[in-house]
Amino acid sequence: MSYPNDLKEYPQLEGSNYPFRLFFNECRYAKAGQNILFLHWHEHFEIIMMQEGSAIFHIDSKSYELHPGEVLFVPSGGLHVGYSLRDDHVRFISIVFHSSLFKDWKQDPQHEQFVVPYLENRYQLPVKPAELVPTCCTYYSLLDTIVDEKLQKGPAFQLIIKNQLHLLFVLLSRTFLPEQAASNTNERHSFNRERFKPLLEYMENHFDEKMTVESAARSVNLNPYHFCKTFKKLTGRTFIDYVNLCRVNEAERLLLETDFTVTEIAGKVGCDNPNYFTKLYKQYKGITPSGVRK
């Protein structure tokens, strides 16, 4: 089961033989509710380390608040998006890596028992492990070592990073695998994720079309009330808010990559009134379309 390809991200990693990379994310003067991590998914694992500010991340239909010093684990293939919780500077580090990083461990039976089930998505680590088992916080010093090694780039730093990540998986597996294996639960695939997939794909490709809540609700066989409730739980946005976000993101691309006038771009993303388009764009991006061009 997967999400629309239009939402799929292909992270630029260190290389095919070393599928790992750190991303240092910063949103200065972020406004409450501002999008700080756009809705996407990828086949890689992602660990988000909050450094400054506070945010709420929606991961596979569930929301998680994140404050400085806290950590989230995004599963491979998980749909995720993030918003600032308040007016503040926001900084967080994303550790992104592919399961093939540990391909050299395949002959180790302990690795096969404790780590492979998570790499193959047979089981899933909790998104916020320390919330369930507070002692997991003691493992996060391994992440600090990873960041330091990447910044310092000392001898064999890549090997150290790889070993620290593997050790983190082993420790978390030792904490959560026994109970997960006993209950044989895997909550990764939910009915709503698959149900809404065609609608999300359609919305990402039809910016200029008028779409009402009622018509969108009919497309997934829900009444408008339950549709709105489920949609917000899945994406972290109301339906109208999400449509507007799709439009301004496409408008931003057109402003930066084409010579279309602001009025032409407004029409291309479904806003017939250029003045309304300017107001909408500034609401989401903090700058006017003409300001982007300048």
Side-chain angles (χ1 to χ4, degrees):
M1 190 184 301
S2 62
Y3 286 111
N5 284 333
D6 287 342
L7 295 178
K8 186 175 183 180
E9 186 179 81
Y10 299 86
Q12 298 298 311
L13 305 184
E14 300 286 345
S16 58
N17 292 326
Y18 193 73
F20 165 92
R21 187 171 177 180
L22 290 188
F23 294 89
F24 295 88
N25 307 283
E26 182 173 12
C27 298
R28 298 183 62 81
Y29 309 107
K31 300 296 183 183
Q34 179 178 329
N35 188 242
I36 60 170
L37 185 68
F38 290 109
L39 185 68
H40 70 286
W41 67 277
H42 43 65
E43 295 175 351
H44 304 72
F45 292 89
E46 183 170 348
I47 303 174
I48 298 175
M49 306 168 60
M50 202 69 185
Q51 294 183 297
E52 184 178 1
S54 299
I56 184 165
F57 292 88
H58 298 271
I59 301 172
D60 287 339
S61 303
K62 296 183 179 180
S63 60
Y64 304 86
E65 285 192 16
L66 202 61
H67 303 281
E70 295 184 328
V71 175
L72 290 183
F73 289 77
V74 182
S76 169
L79 187 70
H80 52 295
V81 63
Y83 307 99
S84 176
L85 271 178
R86 56 183 64 92
D87 295 353
D88 201 355
H89 296 326
V90 175
R91 288 191 304 115
F92 62 95
I93 298 175
S94 294
I95 300 177
V96 179
F97 59 96
H98 194 268
S99 61
S100 59
L101 180 67
F102 305 113
K103 60 185 178 182
D104 297 337
W105 288 78
K106 285 186 176 180
Q107 303 304 317
D108 190 302
Q110 296 273 294
H111 171 77
E112 290 288 324
Q113 179 182 352
F114 287 97
V115 179
V116 169
Y118 292 100
L119 298 180
E120 294 182 349
N121 279 329
R122 281 182 267 149
Y123 298 106
Q124 231 178 58
L125 293 173
V127 172
K128 207 171 181 181
E131 197 169 69
L132 298 176
V133 181
T135 54
C136 288
C137 286
T138 62
Y139 308 155
Y140 296 163
S141 60
L142 297 170
L143 298 174
D144 295 329
T145 300
I146 288 170
V147 174
D148 290 341
E149 286 291 331
K150 176 58 180 175
L151 292 175
Q152 298 297 326
K153 294 187 177 180
F157 77 94
Q158 292 177 319
L159 184 58
I160 293 175
I161 288 173
K162 179 177 177 179
N163 286 333
Q164 296 292 291
L165 267 178
H166 192 269
L167 177 56
L168 178 63
F169 263 70
V170 172
L171 291 172
L172 290 171
S173 173
R174 189 165 65 176
T175 302
F176 296 105
L177 182 61
E179 182 178 348
Q180 289 179 324
S183 59
N184 197 28
T185 58
N186 189 335
E187 299 177 357
R188 177 172 180 264
H189 303 309
S190 70
F191 174 70
N192 283 331
R193 284 177 56 176
E194 188 69 8
R195 189 178 197 176
F196 276 72
K197 182 171 68 174
L199 175 63
L200 289 172
E201 184 174 10
Y202 186 87
M203 292 169 67
E204 291 288 329
N205 286 282
H206 297 81
F207 309 101
D208 58 334
E209 295 186 13
K210 304 297 182 185
M211 185 181 297
T212 65
V213 170
E214 289 74 18
S215 63
R218 284 195 298 270
S219 72
V220 292
N221 297 315
L222 288 174
N223 64 50
Y225 171 79
H226 286 100
F227 169 82
C228 290
K229 187 176 180 179
T230 305
F231 190 92
K232 187 169 184 178
K233 184 178 180 182
L234 179 66
T235 67
R237 294 268 184 178
T238 66
F239 175 75
I240 298 301
D241 195 23
Y242 187 79
V243 170
N244 288 336
L245 185 62
C246 288
R247 287 174 172 170
V248 297
N249 284 342
E250 173 66 4
E252 181 178 48
R253 186 188 70 80
L254 293 173
L255 286 166
L256 295 173
E257 299 179 7
T258 74
D259 294 322
F260 292 127
T261 66
V262 172
T263 299
E264 289 173 329
I265 290 174
K268 288 181 178 294
V269 297
C271 296
D272 297 328
N273 186 324
N275 291 330
Y276 171 74
F277 167 69
T278 296
K279 181 179 179 181
L280 185 69
Y281 192 94
K282 187 174 182 180
Q283 176 185 339
Y284 281 84
K285 298 296 184 179
I287 188 174
T288 64
S290 57
V292 174
R293 280 283 167 84
K294 291 178 183 179

